[in-house]
Amino acid sequence: MKLESVIVGFFLVLASIAAAQQPPSQANRKVDEFIRLLDDPDVRAWLDSHRSGNPTSSPGAAESSFALVNWEAAVRNRIDKVLSAIPRIPAEVSTAAVRTREEAIARGYAPVFAIFAGLVAIGLIAELVWRRLVMRNNDLPARLGSLGVFSAAMAVVFFAVHWPPLARLTLLAYLAAFIAVRLAIALISLAAISPGQRLRLSILAGLICIAIANAAIAEPLGISRDVSDAIAFCFSAMILVVATETVWSTMHMSSTLKAGLTAFGVVLWIAWSLDMRGLFWLGIYAIVLPSVLKGVARVAGHLCSDATGLRGVLITRGIRAVVIGMAVGWLAIVWHFNPDAPGRRDPWISALVYGGMKSVGVLVLADLVWQLARNWFDRTLQVATDTTSLSPADAARRARFRTLLPIFRNAIAVVVLVLAGLIVLSELGVQIGPLIAGAGIFGVAIGFGSQALVKDIISGVFYMLDDAFRVGEYIQAKEYKGTVEGFSLRSVRLRHHRGPVFTVPFGELGAVENMSRDWVIDKFRISVGYDTDIEMARKLTKKVGADLKADPELGPLFIEPLKMKGVEEFGDYGIVLSFGMTTVPGMQTYIRRKAYAKLREVFLANGITFAQPTVQVGGDDKSGGAAAAASAALAHQTGPAKPSP
C-alpha cells in the first residue's frame, strides 16, 4: 500500500457520472515515463555533473553537496506535477471506472457497484440473523462478533466466485475499507466524547479508509501516479478542513488552544504535501497515539473483568506494546521507502533514526516485563498480609514472603532498568563494552574500599536465606532488641517496645535471638510459707490454669495451660514453688500478669500465705529465747512493774 493513501472515495462518485474516455496508448505512456525520468532530481544531478566535465567525482561527495538541492528540486517538482494533474482527475478516474465496468459486463457480471451492494446486503442479512438468534447484548465483544459474522459472510461469497481481475481488486479494496470503517466506528463509540465529535471522527475514519482503498487500486486501474498524487493532495485538504471544523465546533476549549491545534494541523498538512513523511507521521502519532492508548486500555477493560490482575495487565500492556510497535514499524517503513527525505542518505542520521526506533521497542518490552513482575509482586504481597484462618506453617510462609518479596522486587527493577539502558545505548551506537569493563573495575574498587558495606549486604542475604527473622517478629541481637519493621539492602529496622527505632546493619547483628517463633515456655516462681499444703497449692494452680484456658480472651493464647512444676527450693523465708505454661509468642508477659493476680486471689482465699521476711533475735538457747519472748509479751499486757517500797 502506498504512503499516498490519503485519497478519495469522493472521486469514485465523479467517476460514475463522468464520460468514458479511451485509455492512453502504449506510446503515450512511454513518452510520459521518459519525461518523468528526465524530471527526476537524481537523473538531473547526474546529467549536470557529466555536462560540467566532472564525471569522476565521488558519489558520496555529490550526495553530500546536492542533498538539500535535490530535496528542494524534488519538492518543487512534486508540487508542479500535482497542480498540473488536477485537471486530469475526472478524465482518468472516469476511464478507470468505465474500463472496470466494461470488463465485468463483458464476462457476464453486473457492474462493480451492483456487485458491491449485493455483497454488503448478504453480509447485513447474515449479521441480522446473528443478532436475532445469538446476540443477547450490545457491548463491544457482541458488536465485534456481529462485525465478524458480517465479514465472514461477504468473504465466503467473494472467494467462492471467480470475478474479473479489475472487479476483483476493486471489490477487495472497498470491502476491506467498508469493514475497517465499521470497526473504527465501533471503537470510536467507546470514547468518552460528545455525539458531534463521534460523528465527525466517524466521517474522518470513513474518508481515510476509502482513500486507502483508492490508493491501493489506482495503479492496477491505470490511473497515473501524478493523478493519484493530485487526488491525494485534494483529499488531504478536505481532511484538514473537516478536522479544523471538528476542533472549532465540537471541542470545549479556549480559542488559543483551538488556534494552536489548527496551526498544528496546517503544519502537518504542509509536511505531507512537501513529502516530509517522517515528520508528518510523528505529528500524527503525537495527536492520535495518546487517545488510541486510552481507548486500548478501555477496550482491554471490556475484554477482561479483572483489569488489575495478571491477565488484565498482560492484555492491557500487551495491546499497548503492539500498538506502539506497529506505530514504530510503520515509521520505519516510511523512513526506509523515502530515500529523498532530508538526512536519509547520511549514514550517521540513518543509524540514529533506526537506533531510536529500536530503542522505543526495547523500552516498551522492558515496561511490559516490569509491569507484569510488579503486578505479581504486589498481588502476592497483598495475599501474604492476610493470615486469618491459616495454619501456623502457612502463616509463617506468608510472613517470609512479606520479608523477601520487596527485596526481590527492587532487585528485578534494577536489573530491568540496567539491561534496558545498556541495550538502548547499544542501539544508539554507543560502545557499551568499555562501560561494562569500567563498571567491573569500579565494582572491584568499591568492593575493596567498602568491605563493611559488602559484609552487610552478604550477611543480609544469608539472614534472609536462613529465615532468621521476618517482618513483625520480635528479636534480640547483642544490645539491640525490638520488632522488625522493615529491611533495606544493608540494614534492618527494629522498633523497641518502649518506642525507639534501631537501624542496625546486618553485619552488626551477629547471633539473633528470635522471640516470635512457634511457641514460648514461660516459667516463674512464687514463695509461700513453710506451713503451706503443697498438694492443695498444686490443685489450686491446676484450677487457675483451667479457668485461664476457658477465658474467651486468654484461651486462644495458650498452647499448654498453667501448671505447678513443684518445689523448686527452700528459701530463707518460705518454700519456693515453680510454675510454667506454654503460650503463643509475644503474649507470655500479658498472660503472666493475669496468672499472678489469679493465683494471689485463690491462694489467699484458701489460707495459703506468701512468704515474708522475718528476723529472729536470740542466742543458741531456743527455749530460753522463747521464755523471754513470752515474759515480754506478758509484761506488755499487764503494764510496767511497780517498784517495791
Side-chain angles (χ1 to χ4, degrees):
M1 184 181 296
K2 297 184 177 66
L3 293 178
E4 290 83 9
S5 56
V6 193
I7 36 186
V8 269
F10 171 77
F11 293 101
L12 291 178
V13 179
L14 293 178
S16 63
I17 61 174
Q21 296 183 2
Q22 294 296 327
S25 65
Q26 185 71 16
N28 291 337
R29 280 200 290 267
K30 290 184 177 180
V31 172
D32 292 340
E33 183 67 24
F34 179 71
I35 293 174
R36 279 198 297 271
L37 287 175
L38 289 178
D39 290 336
D40 187 271
D42 292 336
V43 176
R44 292 173 59 184
W46 185 84
L47 292 175
D48 291 340
S49 65
H50 280 67
R51 194 164 42 240
S52 62
N54 187 23
T56 59
S57 60
S58 171
E63 290 179 2
S64 175
S65 302
F66 292 101
L68 185 59
V69 175
N70 291 341
W71 176 78
E72 186 272 339
V75 170
R76 186 180 298 275
N77 185 37
R78 173 184 170 85
I79 295 175
D80 293 340
K81 287 181 179 181
V82 167
L83 294 178
S84 62
I86 289 178
R88 305 201 311 266
I89 291 176
E92 291 206 17
V93 172
S94 176
T95 301
V98 170
R99 184 185 300 114
T100 304
R101 180 177 181 275
E102 289 179 350
E103 182 191 53
I105 295 176
R107 300 195 180 190
Y109 293 94
V112 175
F113 288 104
I115 298 174
F116 178 81
L119 291 175
V120 172
I122 292 173
L124 291 176
I125 292 172
E127 182 180 2
L128 181 61
V129 173
W130 165 269
R131 286 177 175 270
R132 290 190 176 182
L133 298 181
V134 179
M135 191 171 172
R136 295 292 181 268
N137 48 33
N138 197 32
D139 56 1
L140 179 63
R143 296 167 69 180
L144 293 179
S146 298
L147 182 58
V149 171
F150 171 81
S151 305
M154 291 194 306
V156 169
V157 179
F158 175 80
F159 288 105
V161 179
H162 296 283
W163 309 103
L166 295 181
R168 182 175 67 251
L169 293 176
T170 304
L171 290 173
L172 180 61
Y174 286 105
L175 288 176
F178 192 83
I179 295 172
V181 169
R182 291 199 56 189
L183 178 61
I185 292 174
L187 296 178
I188 290 172
S189 64
L190 296 176
I193 55 179
S194 64
Q197 291 175 333
R198 190 175 292 113
L199 175 62
R200 287 167 175 80
L201 288 179
S202 301
I203 293 174
L204 285 174
L207 289 175
I208 292 172
C209 291
I210 295 175
I212 292 174
N214 286 336
I217 63 173
E219 185 176 354
L221 293 182
I223 298 176
S224 64
R225 176 67 178 273
D226 294 343
V227 173
S228 178
D229 290 344
I231 294 173
F233 180 82
C234 294
F235 261 82
S236 65
M238 292 173 57
I239 293 174
L240 176 63
V241 170
V242 174
T244 303
E245 192 274 337
T246 302
V247 170
W248 285 93
S249 62
T250 62
M251 291 188 176
H252 303 287
M253 58 179 64
S254 63
S255 299
T256 303
L257 290 178
K258 291 181 179 180
L261 286 177
T262 303
F264 189 75
V266 172
V267 170
L268 289 182
W269 180 75
I270 293 174
W272 185 88
S273 301
L274 297 181
D275 204 23
M276 302 174 66
R277 299 172 185 174
L279 182 62
F280 168 76
W281 284 108
L282 285 177
I284 291 295
Y285 292 159
I287 294 177
V288 175
L289 202 56
S291 300
V292 171
L293 294 180
K294 291 180 180 179
V296 163
R298 195 173 292 110
V299 171
H302 283 82
L303 296 178
C304 184
S305 58
D306 185 11
T308 60
L310 189 63
R311 181 170 174 265
V313 172
L314 179 60
I315 293 176
T316 304
R317 295 287 176 171
I319 295 178
R320 289 183 59 184
V322 170
V323 171
I324 296 175
M326 292 175 62
V328 174
W330 178 253
L331 198 61
I333 293 174
V334 171
W335 176 262
H336 181 74
F337 288 101
N338 190 16
D340 296 329
R344 175 68 177 82
R345 299 182 181 182
D346 191 325
W348 187 84
I349 295 179
S350 297
L352 188 62
V353 170
Y354 282 120
M357 294 179 184
K358 294 177 182 178
S359 300
V360 172
V362 170
L363 293 177
V364 169
L365 183 60
D367 175 72
L368 176 61
V369 172
W370 166 242
Q371 292 296 334
L372 291 175
R374 189 181 69 171
N375 181 268
W376 183 84
F377 281 118
D378 292 344
R379 290 176 67 86
T380 305
L381 283 173
Q382 184 178 2
V383 172
T385 55
D386 184 12
T387 58
T388 57
S389 68
L390 290 178
S391 63
D394 292 336
R397 188 180 300 109
R398 291 192 177 184
R400 192 174 187 184
F401 279 159
R402 292 198 305 271
T403 301
L404 294 176
L405 286 180
I407 299 176
F408 290 155
R409 180 177 58 187
N410 295 337
I412 289 179
V414 172
V415 170
V416 171
L417 180 63
V418 171
L419 289 180
L422 290 177
I423 295 174
V424 167
L425 291 177
S426 176
E427 294 296 339
L428 292 177
V430 178
Q431 297 294 329
I432 63 174
L435 292 178
I436 297 176
I441 297 173
F442 186 69
V444 172
I446 289 180
F448 281 109
S450 57
Q451 296 183 15
L453 177 62
V454 176
K455 176 184 176 183
D456 294 337
I457 295 175
I458 295 178
S459 298
V461 170
F462 282 100
Y463 276 125
M464 297 300 101
L465 293 178
D466 293 338
D467 194 21
F469 45 82
R470 306 165 187 155
V471 174
E473 293 183 340
Y474 193 91
I475 66 172
Q476 180 173 357
K478 296 181 179 178
E479 66 271 19
Y480 308 106
K481 61 181 178 180
T483 303
V484 179
E485 287 193 341
F487 302 92
S488 66
L489 285 177
R490 64 173 296 270
S491 63
V492 58
R493 188 169 62 254
L494 302 179
R495 171 76 65 175
H496 194 269
H497 57 271
R498 293 180 180 174
V501 177
F502 298 104
T503 301
V504 187
F506 286 117
E508 298 294 329
L509 286 179
V512 175
E513 180 182 358
N514 195 325
M515 304 179 184
S516 300
R517 287 289 174 89
D518 303 331
W519 43 266
V520 173
I521 296 178
D522 188 66
K523 295 182 178 181
F524 56 92
R525 298 177 179 182
I526 296 178
S527 297
V528 296
Y530 278 108
D531 58 349
T532 300
D533 186 348
I534 303 298
E535 187 61 27
M536 180 185 292
R538 184 188 304 275
K539 293 179 180 179
L540 293 175
T541 302
K542 185 176 181 180
K543 184 177 182 301
V544 170
D547 293 340
L548 294 175
K549 181 75 172 177
D551 186 273
E553 179 184 359
L554 301 176
L557 306 179
F558 277 97
I559 296 177
E560 291 186 5
L562 175 66
K563 296 179 181 179
M564 191 184 83
K565 303 297 183 181
V567 177
E568 188 70 23
E569 63 180 352
F570 290 101
D572 294 335
Y573 310 111
I575 302 174
V576 179
L577 302 179
S578 176
F579 300 83
M581 56 185 174
T582 304
T583 67
V584 297
M587 302 303 297
Q588 63 272 19
T589 303
Y590 172 69
I591 298 176
R592 189 193 315 135
R593 294 192 186 101
K594 297 291 184 179
Y596 279 154
K598 195 72 173 177
L599 287 173
R600 177 184 179 280
E601 178 183 349
V602 171
F603 279 9
L604 292 179
N606 289 273
I608 298 177
T609 60
F610 295 95
Q612 299 178 0
T614 58
V615 178
Q616 180 177 344
V617 180
D620 294 336
D621 186 5
K622 303 296 172 78
S623 60
S631 288
L634 181 61
H636 179 73
Q637 294 176 358
T638 58
K642 296 181 179 180
S644 59

